[in-house]
Amino acid sequence: MKTVAILGGGPAGSSAAERLARGGLKTILLDEKLAWEKPCGGGLTYKAYSQYRYLIDNDSPKRLVNDTFLASTKAGAVKMSLAHPLVIYSRYDLNRMLLERAEAAGVQIEQERVMHIDRESNGWKIRTRHGNIQADYCVVATGARNPLRSVGTQYTAQDTMYALGYYVPTKQNHIDIQFLAGLEGYIWVFPRAGHLSIGICGKGESAQCLRARLERYMDEKSISRKEATFYGHMLPALEGRAWRNNRLAGDGWIAVGDAGGLVDPITGEGLYYAIRSGDLASQVLLADVEPHRREDQYRQTINRDFALDLLYGAMLAKRVFSGVVLFGAVPNRMIEFMRRSPRFCEIMQDLFAGTQPYLELKNRLLKNLNGTLHEILMSFFFRKLVFGETRV
Ligand SMILES: Cc1cc2nc3c(=O)[nH]c(=O)nc-3n(C[C@H](O)[C@H](O)[C@H](O)COP(=O)(O)OP(=O)(O)OC[C@H]3O[C@@H](n4cnc5c(N)ncnc54)[C@H](O)[C@@H]3O)c2cc1C
């Protein structure tokens, strides 16, 4: 293989391109917009920047935020100081930084819209507005709204959710996460350099309903929309069956990031999986793998690395937002447990850092159950004795 075309220059495409070029392959990246403010919270977890240090060790504008408030209408708010901050970028800054790294590694970057791709006996013909480009292999990184129908994940309505919000030119030093009754999703307030990204994501609700919920929240918090800019986009949230049938690779192509549905179905975290899948795709393409085995090898690598965990997350998602535990809604109980149990707080810290796999969550919760319940009861009886409180 001599030439690889990267279709799309978001975090997935630019990460794959950088590594392929560093590995010695001629790499062409095509993106219709290049660095742009892609609708996003822009939050990167510890899991992402501890593995890819350049995500934190750079001069690009960003915020490192530790203080986080989790709240639900019924249980109120609880503060959690993250052991590892969330690193929050504007997507223009993040995309620009990643594209500059790719360019410095030797990637040929073109601002072009890919109109169509045709499989040919010896590779691909890529049609753009300004002519055709030949490549031996394609990495599909065109995001959740991939317009190329023959490659990448095929989304059904159940496998996506709306995510929308506002960039608000105001300041705040902490993160807010708000759970809402009846919503399989949440509201976030992420402080960025110079503004906030306030948004909502939710499965099974129209964009109109989500927007109304978010605007009600902003009004309650007195967050003005006067100077704010609205944004909205599709967020992949594959259901269990879709993970198993996911079209992640095919003859002569591999899909990375949102174009391959690689997003955490509970939190909506996609940046890490975009960068990670770009990295893993490039490792497979650079390795000495027989051409007809490349796609299988990629699928297996992705499954081993994180996709099985995300599949399990897809099965948990409904229970996390709409389930009931000890006669109360899970988000309410989560907040109440955090107030009363340091052990439970540690688990939440790790979930926020991205270091607690969903596959091992049940075991960890069960292992800690006795201690957690003990802490909750002790804290309840202490409050009852000292303050005369009776609510659990
Ligand atoms: C509202 C919202 C909030 C989010 N918040 C977070 C968050 O806080 N943290 C997190 O980890 N994840 C978050 N995500 C998910 C995250 O934004 C995505 O997972 C991530 O952007 C995926 O990167 P990507 O490179 O795969 O795709 P994208 O970032 O979408 O990049 C795709 C690129 O392809 C280009 N492109 C598309 N079609 C063509 C074409 N035909 N020709 C040429 N170029 C093309 C586009 O211009 C774009 O630059 C959020 C998503 C949404 C919608």
Side-chain angles (χ1 to χ4, degrees):
M1 190 192 328
K2 289 190 194 111
T3 308
V4 181
I6 312 287
L7 316 179
S14 47
S15 303
E18 180 192 338
R19 283 167 191 75
L20 288 170
R22 281 197 204 289
L25 284 181
K26 181 167 162 40
T27 310
I28 306 172
L29 182 150
L30 308 163
D31 192 294
E32 58 184 330
K33 297 183 192 151
L34 294 178
W36 64 295
E37 195 52 64
K38 193 249 158 191
C40 192
L44 280 164
T45 56
Y46 173 71
K47 172 180 62 187
Y49 64 80
S50 59
Q51 254 180 80
Y52 299 105
R53 288 299 307 178
Y54 58 83
L55 292 172
I56 190 166
D57 297 336
N58 62 58
D59 296 332
S60 297
K62 58 186 156 312
R63 291 283 304 271
L64 274 62
V65 188
N66 291 79
D67 287 348
T68 302
F69 287 85
L70 276 94
S72 76
T73 328
K74 212 163 173 196
V78 64
K79 184 179 173 185
M80 169 167 71
S81 280
L82 300 175
H84 305 289
L86 200 71
V87 175
I88 309 173
Y89 283 92
S90 91
R91 282 298 303 272
Y92 175 79
D93 290 323
L94 178 65
N95 283 23
R96 188 182 55 172
M97 186 265 288
L98 295 173
L99 284 166
E100 281 173 1
R101 286 178 58 88
E103 195 166 34
V107 177
Q108 179 187 335
I109 296 181
E110 304 286 347
Q111 182 160 10
E112 282 282 12
R113 176 168 175 80
V114 176
M115 312 295 286
H116 198 79
I117 52 173
D118 297 310
R119 188 75 172 125
E120 297 186 328
S121 57
N122 55 349
W124 292 93
K125 182 164 80 182
I126 297 155
R127 284 196 252 157
T128 73
R129 273 186 221 275
H130 302 103
N132 296 334
I133 292 168
Q134 293 294 139
D136 300 315
Y137 207 88
C138 277
V139 174
V140 182
T142 37
R145 288 190 182 143
N146 172 22
L148 309 168
R149 296 275 147 243
S150 56
V151 290
T153 299
Q154 289 174 302
Y155 290 108
T156 63
Q158 295 96 298
D159 299 320
T160 61
M161 57 172 129
Y162 286 111
L164 52 87
Y166 288 92
Y167 301 121
V168 184
T170 185
K171 265 193 173 172
Q172 175 170 310
N173 289 326
H174 65 269
I175 293 165
D176 281 305
I177 301 290
Q178 174 79 40
F179 299 104
L180 301 172
L183 179 69
E184 197 183 319
Y186 62 94
I187 287 176
W188 69 85
V189 182
F190 282 2
R192 291 172 161 190
H195 64 278
L196 306 180
S197 172
I198 302 184
I200 186 167
C201 59
K203 214 163 187 183
E205 278 204 22
S206 68
Q208 218 177 3
C209 289
L210 288 172
R211 189 167 178 172
R213 281 189 190 258
L214 181 66
E215 292 184 351
R216 215 171 304 132
Y217 172 84
M218 290 172 78
D219 291 343
E220 279 163 22
K221 301 275 167 190
S222 307
I223 303 171
S224 167
R225 290 188 295 282
K226 227 174 180 183
E227 312 270 313
T229 313
F230 179 75
Y231 64 82
H233 208 273
M234 185 178 123
L235 186 58
L238 299 191
E239 303 253 312
R241 194 181 310 144
W243 276 110
R244 288 188 202 98
N245 303 327
N246 191 12
R247 208 171 56 168
L248 199 55
D251 179 27
W253 63 269
I254 271 175
V256 291
D258 282 13
L262 304 175
V263 173
D264 184 318
I266 297 179
T267 62
E269 179 185 11
L271 290 170
Y272 168 74
Y273 299 105
I275 291 165
R276 184 75 187 144
S277 57
D279 184 4
L280 296 175
S282 64
Q283 285 179 34
V284 169
L285 297 184
L286 289 168
D288 196 14
V289 180
E290 288 169 69
H292 70 278
R293 292 214 55 248
R294 280 188 195 121
E295 289 82 28
D296 270 348
Q297 180 85 30
Y298 176 62
R299 278 189 215 101
Q300 285 166 16
T301 309
I302 289 281
N303 278 339
R304 254 198 320 271
D305 200 81
F306 63 78
L308 291 178
D309 200 54
L310 296 189
L311 163 63
Y312 192 68
M315 298 191 295
L316 284 183
K318 272 201 175 50
R319 268 184 266 166
V320 169
F321 294 109
S322 325
V324 169
V325 68
L326 296 176
F327 313 109
V330 170
N332 296 337
R333 287 292 181 233
M334 216 156 65
I335 287 163
E336 287 157 359
F337 283 13
M338 283 174 74
R339 245 182 229 129
R340 299 178 191 275
S341 165
R343 270 170 223 253
F344 192 78
C345 275
E346 268 174 38
I347 297 174
M348 291 302 290
Q349 286 265 3
D350 291 347
L351 280 168
F352 265 72
T355 52
Q356 172 59 57
Y358 293 132
L359 281 164
E360 290 156 26
L361 183 60
K362 193 171 155 192
N363 274 349
R364 185 167 173 200
L365 283 169
L366 286 175
K367 229 188 256 131
N368 282 280
L369 188 65
N370 275 346
T372 303
L373 287 178
H374 179 75
E375 282 167 351
I376 290 167
L377 286 175
M378 288 306 285
S379 138
F380 169 65
F381 286 123
F382 176 76
R383 282 181 170 266
K384 197 174 170 188
L385 269 176
V386 177
F387 304 113
E389 268 187 22
T390 51
R391 222 161 45 106
V392 184

